Amino acid sequence: MPLQPCPECQTLVSESALLCPKCGRPYPTRKRANKNAETVGGLVVLGIGLAMLAIGVSLRLGPEMMLPCGLLMVIGTAIFKKAVNRKD
């Protein structure tokens, strides 16, 4: 793993470290990556729900077939909203 100097004490610290071992400065890069993954995941689930809804409407499927589309859209929106509003 690549090492980078800590901005505060200049000690070489692994990029995967959460804290500098010498001064204790936090490194939020891992949290930020998780937040980005959650955001993209929520958008993907939302997109799948919207695509299924569009296909269902074009094929004139009944409401019982549209329920999974709506659920996916609600779940995707919830994941996206949680990720965007998360304070890291």
Side-chain angles (χ1 to χ4, degrees):
M1 291 185 195
L3 299 176
Q4 300 223 343
C6 172
E8 286 194 29
C9 68
Q10 302 304 314
T11 302
L12 291 178
V13 181
S14 169
E15 287 183 349
S16 64
L18 296 176
L19 298 171
C20 173
K22 185 175 180 183
C23 68
R25 182 183 189 276
Y27 287 90
T29 54
R30 180 172 284 175
K31 289 180 185 177
R32 199 175 312 125
N34 289 342
K35 181 177 180 178
N36 291 342
E38 277 184 28
T39 303
V40 170
L43 287 175
V44 167
V45 173
L46 179 62
I48 290 171
L50 286 171
M52 287 175 59
L53 182 66
I55 291 168
V57 168
S58 68
L59 295 176
R60 297 185 181 159
L61 299 177
E64 68 279 352
M65 298 300 288
M66 297 298 199
L67 182 63
C69 305
L71 290 175
L72 278 175
M73 290 174 9
V74 168
I75 291 168
T77 302
I79 293 170
F80 177 74
K81 193 173 184 182
K82 178 184 169 200
V84 169
N85 292 332
R86 202 169 89 185
K87 306 277 189 277
D88 284 342

